[in-house]
Amino acid sequence: MTESSVSEELLSSILEGYSFEAEGIQLGVLMSDGGPVVDAPIRIPVGMFNRHGLVAGATGTGKTKTLQVMAEALSSAGVPVFAADIKGDLSGMATPAEAGEKLLARAEAQGQPFTPTDFPCEFYALGGRGHGVPLRATVTSFGPVLLSKVLDLNQVQESSLGLVFYYADKAGLPLLDLKDLIELLRYLISDEGKSELKGIGGISTATVGVILRNLVTLSESGGDVFFGEPEFDPANLLRVAADGRGVVSMLELPDLASQPELFSTFLMWLLAELFETLPEVGDIDKPKLVFFFDEAHLLFNGASTAFLDAITQTVRLIRSKGVGVFFVTQTPKDVPDDVLAQLGSRVQHQLRAHTPNAAKALKATVDTYPRSSYDLGELLQSLGTGEAVVTVMDPDGAPTPVAWTRVWAPTSSMSPTDEAVLRQHVAASPLMGTYGQAIDRESAHEILVKRIEEDAERARRADEEAERESGSGGRSTSSRRRKEDPGLVEQVVKSSAFRQFMRTAAAEVARGLFGTRRRR
């Protein structure tokens, strides 16, 4: 059998493998002899979308359109979808496709019933930078592990940041936005605050300097508008429209190149928040949400061991909350092995092997597939645009036969929705009333500034009193006060609870999967 033809035995196996009775979405049809086999549908069970998956392929091979086809089918099945709109193309889902001659000919050739359709969409933008409902998260909720990934901190710096978060919790200092964390770090290395962390190992001025510089850079590049309140509630992603279709939520990422760590890590924050807030549901007929993680390699680049462990654990466990995760990237090598092992569905578009590293990536990709009659090493390099090699999990959890697939065309627009229409859509969103305007309530920045001003005023009065006590030679009032009034950390250090914390400090710093904590 050549790579372009399908034997009777393989055809029979594929027809049997994808003809399950459970509800499924049709991804496309089988390819053989260079053309589509319209009577051989390639389907994915809706219930298996919460077993996660991978969509991979070189640039320009059709990954985004495959994502769009999946999102359309899931929405039609009543399943909400979340996707990062990297290039702005997915915004076209709010607009019906233009049924041109070429598109209709392709649809007819592959047996696809084609009706131009728009879908219920909600558009989001980080901090309101772009066209969408502003998405914000508090610094406290984001946590030290995720924030360390955004700031590109090493493990020592990440551990130090964890101590700062711990101190803020115990001291009642809400960290809502970046200026809160910046002010707290400055306080902890100032004359007034440098003794506060000594009981738990302290934090070096050099480490604080690195964190502060990275925070200032993050703030100047737009992070200042993302961190803050009102904090987004991920439950808004689980909505179903009045007609029963799932709402497709899209996050616009126009400045991805300048802030890849912030964007990718924010998506992981969303998953961590969903994991924390959703109840256990086990295996259900339809996922509560399917989450598409485009440009997934950005999430793993330079990630710490703790961060990778947290991602692996989240992907493994969030299935029981009814949430499916699909990673979209260029090659399976972009995803760590422990995460890749959790992915049940594989949709692999064309790979190119023009360099030694690309050849290794091709071989590694072939090794991730079940045994097949195809010569996958050759087939993966010869796939046309909109074609993919597919294997998914059937309703019983077993892998389906590997199938060379012609992916169906999206029925919504493959071009971005007109900007004026997009603005009107966003302005009419019911979520704008809740998240449209930023809130700046009293938090660590204001509390510390007030505390420093009060300390300065007390010191001034103490100095005046000391001057009046000329010749006394005694200790000043401020000195006596500092000695007699132990600081908060000294009290904490003496407690049995803190000694227990020290025995498990490494684990406690993360505070759950990602060190996140939602405050309401």
Side-chain angles (χ1 to χ4, degrees), residues 187 192 450-460:
Y187 172 74
E192 296 83 1
K450 184 178 180 181
R451 180 185 299 179
I452 292 171
E453 290 174 349
E454 290 174 348
D455 286 347
E457 178 62 19
R458 281 195 295 268
R460 184 186 65 79

Side-chain angles (χ1 to χ4, degrees), residues 41-218:
I42 305 302
R43 304 163 63 227
I44 305 177
V46 173
M48 290 295 106
F49 269 89
N50 74 338
R51 299 296 182 92
H52 314 316
L54 175 74
V55 179
T59 301
T61 57
K63 297 191 300 295
T64 302
K65 301 313 169 193
T66 297
L67 189 165
Q68 189 170 343
V69 168
M70 288 183 173
E72 290 180 354
L74 287 165
S75 175
S76 297
V79 178
V81 171
F82 177 89
D85 192 4
I86 302 297
K87 298 179 286 293
D89 295 347
L90 287 177
S91 67
M93 290 188 67
T95 306
E98 293 184 7
E101 182 178 341
K102 184 177 180 180
L103 180 58
L104 289 175
R106 177 185 173 102
E108 182 179 2
Q110 58 199 21
Q112 177 183 359
F114 192 89
T115 302
T117 308
D118 59 341
F119 290 83
C121 296
E122 189 73 71
F123 299 96
Y124 296 97
L126 291 189
R129 297 185 67 195
H131 305 306
V133 175
L135 291 187
R136 302 180 184 89
T138 65
V139 171
T140 291
S141 174
F142 217 66
V145 176
L146 286 177
L147 189 57
S148 294
K149 174 68 165 66
V150 174
L151 298 175
D152 194 26
L153 303 183
N154 61 33
Q155 291 188 1
V156 173
Q157 293 157 355
E158 179 179 324
S159 177
S160 297
L161 187 61
L163 291 179
V164 172
F165 271 70
Y166 175 79
Y167 170 77
D169 283 347
K170 295 302 181 182
L173 297 172
L175 301 177
L176 304 182
D177 51 30
L178 291 184
K179 70 177 186 293
D180 290 327
L181 182 56
I182 290 172
E183 188 65 36
L184 177 57
L185 287 166
R186 288 172 175 166
Y187 172 74
L188 291 174
I189 58 172
S190 68
D191 291 339
E192 296 83 1
K194 61 185 177 183
S195 63
E196 294 293 328
L197 293 182
K198 283 186 176 179
I200 50 176
I203 180 171
S204 73
T205 302
T207 295
V208 170
V210 171
I211 298 174
L212 280 174
R213 285 194 296 273
N214 291 358
L215 281 171
V216 170
T217 300
L218 175 61

Side-chain angles (χ1 to χ4, degrees), residues 16-24 43-48 51 283 392-400:
E16 181 180 356
Y18 292 90
S19 62
F20 42 81
E21 295 182 1
E23 181 181 6
R43 304 163 63 227
I44 305 177
V46 173
M48 290 295 106
R51 299 296 182 92
D283 288 322
V392 302
M393 298 185 81
D394 68 19
D396 295 325
T400 58

